[in-house]
Amino acid sequence: MISIKNLHARIGDTEILRGLDLEIGVGQVHAIMGPNGAGKSTLSYVLAGREGYEVTQGDILLNGESILDLSPEDRAAKGIFLAFQYPVEIPGVQMTTFLKTAVNAVRTARGEPELNAIDFLKMMKSKAQDLGMSDDMMKRAVNAGFSGGEKKRSEILQMAMLSPSFAVLDETDSGLDIDALKIVADGVNKLRAAHRSFLVITHYQRLLDYIKPDVVHVLAKGRIVKTGGADLAQTLEKSGYADILKDVA
Amino acid sequence: MISLTDIPLVSSERWKFTDLHKALKKKTLTPTVMGWGRGVVPLLTHAPGHERYGDTSLWDLNTAQTQDIKFISGSTDVNIHAVDGQMLTPRIIIHVKTGDTLTVNEFLGGTGSYWKNMVVQVHVEPGGHLYHHRIITESAEGIATIFTHVVLERDARYDAACVMMGAGMVRNQIHAEIKGSGAQCALNGVHLLAGEQHGDTTITIEHQAPHTQSHQTYKNVLTGSSRGVFQGKVHVHQAAQKTDGYQLSNTLMLSPYAEMDTKPELEIYADDVKCSHGATTGKLDENALFYLRARGIPLAQARSLLTMAFVSEVIDRIPAEDMRQSLLSDISQWLSDHV
Ligand SMILES: Nc1ncnc2c1ncn2[C@@H]1O[C@H](COP(=O)(O)OP(=O)(O)O)[C@@H](O)[C@H]1O
Ligand SMILES: [Mg+2]
């Protein structure tokens, strides 16, 4: 599905990713854990195609094809989705307008017909309801004045609406209490499917109790330094990152 | 041919950013009568307040030349369409009687090279309310100089919205005298400028009575090598205690070649007032752009969406649903053509 090969990326003059390798198969859920500043968000932005994040070496292949030359919108059309660690507030653009524009842009790019207003609203309402988001929130500006938890739910809603084939969740658990965490995890689990892969980035093991990963990686200093099964997350939770980092040059 | 001797020069303070002289010099124009008729209303010869603000020459030219006078005392639309080679001199007098509410929509457009030198006089009697919408779609070579003078009596309200979507050179000058206590004056504007367009809004608001309000909100979107000017003066007279005056000009620069000149001024002679002004100039928010694109929205559409959000605050204030909808669709069109 997605294969990242010897990826080096920098922001300005600072190299952040330094030879990162990662293979995620179709239908798999991989988790990336790592200390603050390891480069987790940088990886997520590089995957989504953010300007200013320059890939200097290596490649990212989606179903065998490099995506490095694609714009963020083209990557979204190809099925890549990033749930942001810090979702952006956009005053003046209504949630509903935003979602409808996004859904129809992606459908058009994928060669599917646009949704009409009624079908779109039906779909939005049912998915919003699953995530405990009110109609009133859909009338507000994008993420504007949303609490931390509401912003994360908004990300999951967008993911559900865009039905990606590869979704990256960047610390979607941060700032959530246990109830909100369960709602968000349910939202993700509902989308787990044989044709869809996930990369779940988290600092804590807690989220992985609810979204069970197939593979867990540790990212430190811009590289994957350890890979294991779901139990690796538990080990890390007990022993912290210090032991692993000791061995990393 | 028209004589340029009385045209204000850039050396005069309020014309610093708009060189009308230069713009007119290249034109060969013929004074043209539209056929409104002169009516029987006596005209004010000089611009009110000209002793203080020294700005009456275009008004005087209008007074001397006009054969087209329209007297308005009920809701109506006014269309002024100029064609190549014309110089039009329309004079509009809007009178809102005690307690009346009126909506006047002006549509100003044209084709080719021309000059409209327009004067609009507004008088709102006690408790009256005027919604005054001005939609400007002048041609790229058209010049429009518009001088609007407003008098508000006790508890009168004036809600103006000007949407500029086309211009060669436009000077939209407003002088509001708030004479009666409790009166409110709201001036809103959206200026969308592209190419070589020049859009100048110059405002003077005089608070002459206590407990009066004025609110100015202007949103400028500049592309190409266009130039925007916003000069807003709020003059609070000594008698005008408890004045609430607010002025905001936000500019979105969508091109490195565009230029915006903003000059807010407060002149306050009363001590118990609440006045503020602010001006910002910026670009589209990169974070927001990336967020939209990451959701599959193509760059041009993302820029349009954010620009629409920027101007919609002003459009949303227009109470008439049909006017609002038609403006939103015109603005979307403009955005898809220019952003
Ligand atoms: N815009 C930026 N400019 C320069 N350095 C940055 C920028 N964003 C992040 N960094 C640096 O890149 C490193 C990795 O950051 P990030 O990817 O956010 O880490 P994580 O998400 O793992 O906490 C950090 O050292 C951080 O300071
Ligand atoms: Mg991060």
Side-chain angles (χ1 to χ4, degrees), chain A residues 109-240:
Chain A
R110 291 177 188 164
E112 297 162 15
E114 291 195 358
L115 286 182
N116 65 41
I118 294 167
D119 290 344
F120 167 79
L121 282 176
K122 246 191 229 156
M123 172 173 157
M124 184 184 78
K125 280 191 176 164
S126 95
K127 293 191 191 297
Q129 207 164 29
D130 289 347
L131 289 160
M133 297 176 76
S134 63
D135 286 358
D136 175 58
M137 282 176 81
M138 298 298 113
K139 291 193 186 114
R140 280 158 53 189
V142 177
N143 297 329
F146 286 18
S147 69
E150 287 171 337
K151 281 183 182 160
K152 296 302 167 95
R153 278 188 243 180
S154 161
E155 294 295 288
I156 302 303
L157 173 65
Q158 292 166 43
M159 176 167 74
M161 297 291 289
L162 293 173
S163 74
S165 53
F166 173 54
V168 181
L169 310 183
D170 189 2
E171 300 214 22
T172 300
D173 51 337
S174 66
L176 295 187
D177 61 31
I178 196 71
D179 292 328
L181 185 74
K182 279 183 189 159
I183 294 173
V184 162
D186 276 352
V188 174
N189 287 328
K190 226 180 234 168
L191 291 174
R192 287 182 77 152
H195 60 277
R196 183 173 287 136
S197 312
F198 288 87
L199 180 59
V200 180
I201 295 172
T202 179
H203 191 70
Y204 303 103
Q205 174 256 339
R206 193 180 65 155
L207 178 67
L208 305 179
D209 289 341
Y210 298 96
I211 305 173
K212 293 264 186 292
D214 300 305
V215 184
V216 175
H217 308 273
V218 179
L219 174 62
K221 300 192 177 157
R223 285 190 297 129
I224 300 294
V225 296
K226 201 172 173 77
T227 294
D231 52 320
L232 176 58
Q234 266 119 44
T235 317
L236 281 168
E237 184 75 4
K238 283 194 212 90
S239 59

Side-chain angles (χ1 to χ4, degrees), chain B residues 246-272:
Chain B
Y246 165 88
Q247 183 188 100
L248 182 69
S249 164
N250 297 135
T251 302
L252 193 52
M253 300 288 256
L254 296 180
S255 148
Y257 308 107
E259 186 183 329
M260 182 73 202
D261 295 293
T262 310
K263 192 173 161 207
E265 268 181 278
L266 290 175
E267 217 179 299
I268 302 175
Y269 300 100
D271 44 31
D272 185 12

